[in-house]
Amino acid sequence: RGYWLDAAARPGLDAAHVEGEFYVQEASAMLSVAALCRDAPRDRRLVAIDACAAPGGKTVQLATTLREATDDFVVLANDPSSSRLGALTANARRCGVEPWLAVARGDAGALFNALPAASADLILVDAPCSGDATCR
Protein backbone atom coordinates (compact mmCIF):
# COMPACT_ATOMS: atom_id res chain seq x y z
CA ARG A 1 0.00 0.00 0.00
CA GLY A 2 1.19 3.46 -0.74
CA TYR A 3 0.37 6.83 0.71
CA TRP A 4 1.27 10.34 -0.36
CA LEU A 5 3.14 12.35 2.22
CA ASP A 6 3.18 16.08 2.63
CA ALA A 7 6.37 17.55 1.18
CA ALA A 8 7.33 18.89 4.62
CA ALA A 9 6.85 15.53 6.35
CA ARG A 10 9.88 13.90 7.96
CA PRO A 11 8.73 10.27 8.16
CA GLY A 12 12.22 8.89 8.80
CA LEU A 13 12.07 10.43 12.26
CA ASP A 14 8.75 8.81 13.13
CA ALA A 15 8.89 5.98 15.68
CA ALA A 16 6.68 3.82 13.43
CA HIS A 17 9.31 4.10 10.67
CA VAL A 18 12.11 3.15 13.05
CA GLU A 19 10.05 0.14 14.17
CA GLY A 20 9.58 -0.98 10.55
CA GLU A 21 5.87 -0.32 10.24
CA PHE A 22 6.48 1.53 6.98
CA TYR A 23 9.21 2.16 4.43
CA VAL A 24 9.49 5.42 2.53
CA GLN A 25 10.07 5.37 -1.21
CA GLU A 26 8.93 7.26 -4.27
CA ALA A 27 5.64 6.30 -5.90
CA SER A 28 7.48 5.52 -9.12
CA ALA A 29 9.56 2.93 -7.27
CA MET A 30 6.43 1.21 -5.99
CA LEU A 31 4.81 0.72 -9.39
CA SER A 32 7.06 -2.10 -10.57
CA VAL A 33 6.33 -4.30 -7.56
CA ALA A 34 2.61 -3.59 -7.73
CA ALA A 35 2.53 -4.56 -11.41
CA LEU A 36 4.70 -7.65 -10.86
CA CYS A 37 2.58 -9.02 -8.03
CA ARG A 38 -0.84 -8.17 -9.45
CA ASP A 39 -1.40 -11.57 -11.07
CA ALA A 40 1.03 -13.67 -9.02
CA PRO A 41 -0.20 -17.23 -8.39
CA ARG A 42 -1.34 -17.92 -4.85
CA ASP A 43 -1.94 -21.66 -5.00
CA ARG A 44 1.69 -22.81 -4.50
CA ARG A 45 5.06 -21.79 -3.12
CA LEU A 46 6.31 -18.62 -4.81
CA VAL A 47 9.92 -17.83 -5.57
CA ALA A 48 10.69 -14.20 -6.32
CA ILE A 49 14.03 -12.68 -7.29
CA ASP A 50 15.01 -9.06 -6.84
CA ALA A 51 18.15 -8.99 -8.96
CA CYS A 52 19.31 -5.46 -8.01
CA ALA A 53 17.98 -5.36 -4.48
CA ALA A 54 19.94 -2.90 -2.33
CA PRO A 55 19.09 -0.78 -0.41
CA GLY A 56 15.90 -2.81 -0.14
CA GLY A 57 12.85 -0.64 -0.76
CA LYS A 58 11.42 -2.78 -3.53
CA THR A 59 12.59 -5.96 -1.77
CA VAL A 60 10.67 -4.98 1.37
CA GLN A 61 7.62 -4.09 -0.70
CA LEU A 62 7.86 -7.35 -2.65
CA ALA A 63 8.15 -9.47 0.49
CA THR A 64 5.37 -7.56 2.25
CA THR A 65 3.05 -7.89 -0.74
CA LEU A 66 3.70 -11.63 -1.00
CA ARG A 67 3.32 -12.09 2.77
CA GLU A 68 -0.14 -10.52 2.54
CA ALA A 69 -1.07 -12.92 -0.28
CA THR A 70 0.44 -16.22 0.90
CA ASP A 71 2.60 -17.61 3.67
CA ASP A 72 4.60 -19.86 1.34
CA PHE A 73 7.18 -17.77 -0.50
CA VAL A 74 10.81 -16.75 -0.57
CA VAL A 75 12.51 -13.69 -2.04
CA LEU A 76 16.06 -14.01 -3.31
CA ALA A 77 17.54 -10.53 -2.88
CA ASN A 78 20.70 -10.06 -4.91
CA ASP A 79 22.98 -7.08 -5.30
CA PRO A 80 26.46 -6.85 -6.79
CA SER A 81 27.67 -4.42 -4.10
CA SER A 82 28.73 -5.93 -0.79
CA SER A 83 28.79 -2.47 0.79
CA ARG A 84 25.09 -1.98 -0.05
CA LEU A 85 23.95 -5.38 1.23
CA GLY A 86 24.20 -4.13 4.82
CA ALA A 87 21.48 -1.56 4.15
CA LEU A 88 19.35 -4.22 2.47
CA THR A 89 19.53 -6.64 5.40
CA ALA A 90 19.03 -3.85 7.96
CA ASN A 91 15.91 -2.61 6.15
CA ALA A 92 14.54 -6.15 5.78
CA ARG A 93 15.13 -6.82 9.49
CA ARG A 94 13.61 -3.49 10.55
CA CYS A 95 10.52 -4.11 8.42
CA GLY A 96 10.05 -7.70 9.56
CA VAL A 97 10.57 -9.51 6.25
CA GLU A 98 14.04 -10.94 6.85
CA PRO A 99 12.72 -14.48 7.56
CA TRP A 100 11.47 -14.71 3.96
CA LEU A 101 14.69 -13.49 2.35
CA ALA A 102 17.71 -15.23 0.98
CA VAL A 103 20.47 -12.69 0.28
CA ALA A 104 23.13 -13.08 -2.40
CA ARG A 105 25.93 -10.87 -3.68
CA GLY A 106 26.85 -11.04 -7.32
CA ASP A 107 26.26 -10.05 -10.88
CA ALA A 108 22.61 -10.56 -11.85
CA GLY A 109 23.58 -12.15 -15.17
CA ALA A 110 25.76 -14.70 -13.41
CA LEU A 111 22.97 -15.38 -10.92
CA PHE A 112 20.46 -16.12 -13.67
CA ASN A 113 22.96 -18.30 -15.54
CA ALA A 114 23.53 -20.35 -12.37
CA LEU A 115 19.83 -20.94 -11.67
CA PRO A 116 17.83 -23.71 -13.31
CA ALA A 117 15.41 -22.56 -15.99
CA ALA A 118 12.00 -21.53 -14.67
CA SER A 119 13.22 -21.48 -11.06
CA ALA A 120 11.47 -18.20 -10.24
CA ASP A 121 7.86 -17.13 -10.48
CA LEU A 122 8.56 -13.41 -10.24
CA ILE A 123 11.69 -11.51 -11.31
CA LEU A 124 12.33 -7.86 -10.55
CA VAL A 125 15.26 -6.09 -12.19
CA ASP A 126 15.76 -2.38 -11.55
CA ALA A 127 18.79 -1.74 -13.72
CA PRO A 128 20.69 0.39 -13.53
CA CYS A 129 19.62 1.19 -10.00
CA SER A 130 20.60 4.58 -8.62
CA GLY A 131 19.98 3.38 -5.07
CA ASP A 132 18.56 6.68 -3.93
CA ALA A 133 14.83 5.79 -4.23
CA THR A 134 13.95 9.03 -5.99
CA CYS A 135 12.55 9.98 -9.34
CA ARG A 136 11.84 13.61 -9.87
Side-chain angles (χ1 to χ4, degrees), residues 56-81:
K58 291 181 194 75
T59 305
V60 167
Q61 182 188 357
L62 180 59
T64 301
T65 301
L66 293 176
R67 184 180 63 193
E68 291 173 355
T70 180
D71 58 358
D72 195 11
F73 72 94
V74 65
V75 176
L76 173 56
N78 177 74
D79 201 85
S81 172

Side-chain angles (χ1 to χ4, degrees), residues 50-136:
D50 186 348
C52 308
K58 291 181 194 75
T59 305
V60 167
Q61 182 188 357
L62 180 59
T64 301
T65 301
L66 293 176
R67 184 180 63 193
E68 291 173 355
T70 180
D71 58 358
D72 195 11
F73 72 94
V74 65
V75 176
L76 173 56
N78 177 74
D79 201 85
S81 172
S82 58
S83 64
R84 291 168 40 95
L85 285 177
L88 170 83
T89 56
N91 283 321
R93 185 177 305 117
R94 181 178 61 80
C95 294
V97 298
E98 189 178 32
W100 292 276
L101 293 188
V103 178
R105 183 187 67 80
D107 176 76
L111 171 70
F112 290 121
N113 285 334
L115 292 172
S119 58
D121 300 292
L122 305 168
I123 298 173
L124 178 62
V125 179
D126 181 9
C129 179
S130 65
D132 63 6
T134 61
C135 178
R136 303 215 192 280

Side-chain angles (χ1 to χ4, degrees), residues 44-55:
R44 58 185 164 76
R45 180 173 180 83
L46 291 178
V47 177
I49 298 174
D50 186 348
C52 308

